[in-house]
Amino acid sequence: MKKEDLNFFAGKRILVTGHTGFKGSWLTRILLYAGAEVIGYSLVPEGESLYRLMDEKAEKGSLKSVIADIRDYDRLLAVMRETQPELVLHMAAQPIVRTSYEQPRYTYETNVMGTVNLCEAVRLTPSVKSFLNVTTDKVYKNEERGEAFREEEPLDGYDPYSNSKSCSELVTHSYVNSFFREMGIAASTARAGNVIGGGDFARDRIIPDSVRTALSGLSASSNEEASVIRVRNPYSIRPFQHVLEPLFMYLTILKEQTLRPELAGAYNIGPEDADCVTTGDLVTRFCTAWNRTGTGEELTWENVGNAGPHEATFLKLDCSLARKTFGWKPVWNIDRALEETVAWTRVYADSEDKEPGVRSEMIRAEMEREIEAFLEDTMSA
């Protein structure tokens, strides 16, 4: 997406579910940068969060933040009827595989019935013209064949998270066939790979875990052991990409299918093959990027084995459909993505002793710098 393409969103009313999450916070910043009227619908973020840190200000657009549960259908419908959004982007979810083993019922309630609630609310809100449901690369039936998944392959999902997202896809497809197509609502699903970037504080994710270890090395009380990242499943392959990659592609799909409804469908969004690396390789590259800053203890990592419940060992996406349909291709490779993650983390660490308002300004400024750099690099990609 080019910078001028963002003009499409200026002044448009856009409902974003999950706007207080990691990806939702970055998306909100992009949309406000574009001058959109954002209606956010999400739970209060737990613990340290990017949304709280950036203390979102709407310099160009506007933001109406609704703190509510996607499982609360009556509240969701009331918000949509009140705000009358034109575009809807669904990211509210229970997004962690390991958490889905601990809380399977909650995961299904949120990821499946949450999608049902939103699709039904879209059906009953005449202002909506375009809808995008964000799922995951884990929706496919994974028989560990070592091949990239294509959009037409069977859906399934082994664990409760992956399976619930597969169900979310099927719910969306049913609403398209039963209602949306006839109503003139363009609706798609987007299956993105693993995202990394500044401001992700989730547990049981490799880069947030690595960042926490790196930050502990900046402490005066740190020791050599505190600067060792513990890695589960270092030989698992994942399609890692910077968070801005899928977010701008979501906006591309939302824009293009609004203008040309025949483009609506299911799309994979992932990095180049060279950037589908093992978890161990990813952490090695993160350590290199962090150690290059010359601050804190020297980062290293160790293999702690296959600890925890089942997770797929191989995930890679065939993104040729998105390339052919939208002329899209990734902008930042894995090393650039990690460099930007480290840059954001340095701002986060350096601003820790600042007044809250000053710290938020620094966080927002860094996010906007990365957004503008990404858009500029898009021109030469």
Side-chain angles (χ1 to χ4, degrees):
M1 173 171 280
K2 299 177 182 178
K3 189 171 184 177
E4 55 266 29
D5 292 325
L6 287 177
N7 295 333
F8 172 82
F9 299 98
K12 284 191 169 56
R13 298 184 306 280
I14 306 174
L15 178 80
V16 177
T17 70
H19 74 292
T20 64
F22 169 54
K23 290 171 76 173
S25 296
W26 275 99
L27 182 65
T28 298
R29 182 99 291 271
I30 294 170
L31 288 173
L32 293 178
Y33 175 83
E37 297 179 21
V38 181
I39 305 107
Y41 188 100
S42 185
L43 295 172
V44 174
E46 296 181 358
E48 184 84 316
S49 77
L50 177 57
Y51 187 77
R52 283 200 188 96
L53 280 169
M54 67 186 190
D55 186 25
E56 193 54 81
K57 306 295 183 185
E59 291 91 348
K60 298 178 183 178
S62 64
L63 172 64
K64 176 182 175 64
S65 180
V66 178
I67 300 302
D69 197 317
I70 195 69
R71 296 175 297 169
D72 186 345
Y73 170 70
D74 292 337
R75 178 71 169 129
L76 177 61
L77 180 59
V79 168
M80 291 193 63
R81 283 177 167 169
E82 175 192 347
T83 59
Q84 293 291 305
E86 303 163 71
L87 312 175
V88 175
L89 210 159
H90 180 37
M91 294 196 297
Q94 190 299 98
I96 308 297
V97 170
R98 287 167 70 88
T99 299
S100 78
Y101 281 107
E102 298 164 3
Q103 303 178 55
R105 184 167 179 267
Y106 170 68
T107 299
Y108 279 103
E109 286 178 344
T110 302
N111 295 354
V112 183
M113 285 310 300
T115 301
V116 172
N117 290 342
L118 184 57
C119 284
E120 183 67 1
V122 166
R123 184 177 75 87
L124 298 176
T125 306
S127 60
V128 178
K129 303 302 179 188
S130 187
F131 170 62
L132 178 66
N133 179 17
V134 174
T135 62
T136 175
D137 58 345
K138 299 175 180 64
V139 297
Y140 295 104
K141 183 176 182 179
N142 191 343
E143 297 177 328
E144 303 286 0
R145 291 178 291 129
E147 298 176 2
F149 292 103
R150 300 181 303 277
E151 288 87 348
E152 66 270 19
E153 295 190 55
L155 303 178
D156 188 357
Y158 182 101
D159 55 86
Y161 166 72
S162 304
N163 186 264
S164 68
K165 281 296 197 176
S166 179
C167 292
S168 176
E169 289 264 355
L170 296 174
V171 167
T172 306
H173 298 166
S174 177
Y175 266 82
V176 168
N177 293 331
S178 302
F179 309 109
F180 293 163
R181 186 178 294 114
E182 184 176 337
M183 296 170 65
I185 299 173
S188 291
T189 59
R191 304 162 183 175
N194 294 42
V195 296
I196 60 177
D200 188 356
F201 298 98
R203 72 182 183 98
D204 295 325
R205 279 183 179 161
I206 186 58
I207 291 302
D209 288 346
S210 299
V211 166
R212 279 186 282 270
T213 301
L215 291 175
S216 72
L218 298 179
S219 170
S221 61
S222 66
N223 53 57
E224 184 175 346
E225 184 178 350
S227 294
V228 178
I229 302 167
R230 289 163 177 79
V231 181
R232 305 186 318 270
N233 310 322
Y235 305 111
S236 297
I237 295 175
R238 295 287 186 272
F240 295 103
Q241 57 190 328
H242 192 274
V243 63
L244 292 179
E245 297 281 2
L247 292 183
F248 276 108
M249 190 56 195
Y250 300 161
L251 295 179
T252 296
I253 295 171
L254 207 58
K255 169 181 177 288
E256 295 300 328
Q257 73 177 15
T258 303
L259 301 174
R260 298 174 59 194
E262 68 273 15
L263 297 181
Y267 293 100
N268 288 337
I269 305 170
E272 302 283 6
D273 286 351
D275 293 317
C276 294
V277 299
T278 66
T279 304
D281 186 12
L282 180 78
V283 180
T284 297
R285 292 167 187 250
F286 175 82
C287 291
T288 299
W290 182 266
N291 293 337
R292 196 178 294 130
T293 67
T295 55
E297 297 288 337
E298 190 83 356
L299 272 185
T300 59
W301 67 272
E302 66 177 5
N303 180 3
V304 297
N306 188 355
H310 172 274
E311 294 189 47
T313 58
F314 183 92
L315 279 174
K316 186 183 288 189
L317 297 173
D318 182 333
C319 302
S320 55
L321 181 61
R323 291 170 181 265
K324 178 181 178 181
T325 304
F326 302 106
W328 167 81
K329 60 181 176 179
V331 177
W332 285 350
N333 64 21
I334 189 64
D335 290 316
R336 177 65 182 276
L338 289 168
E339 288 172 8
E340 296 295 344
T341 302
V342 168
W344 188 98
T345 304
R346 291 300 316 173
V347 172
Y348 170 76
D350 293 344
S351 65
E352 189 173 11
D353 60 350
K354 305 294 184 183
E355 292 293 326
V358 174
R359 189 180 202 195
S360 295
E361 288 179 8
M362 293 174 67
I363 295 292
R364 291 195 302 272
E366 172 60 22
M367 294 173 75
E368 191 157 314
R369 180 198 67 78
E370 293 185 32
I371 290 168
E372 291 181 342
F374 187 91
L375 288 170
E376 183 176 340
D377 290 344
T378 300
M379 300 297 292
S380 55

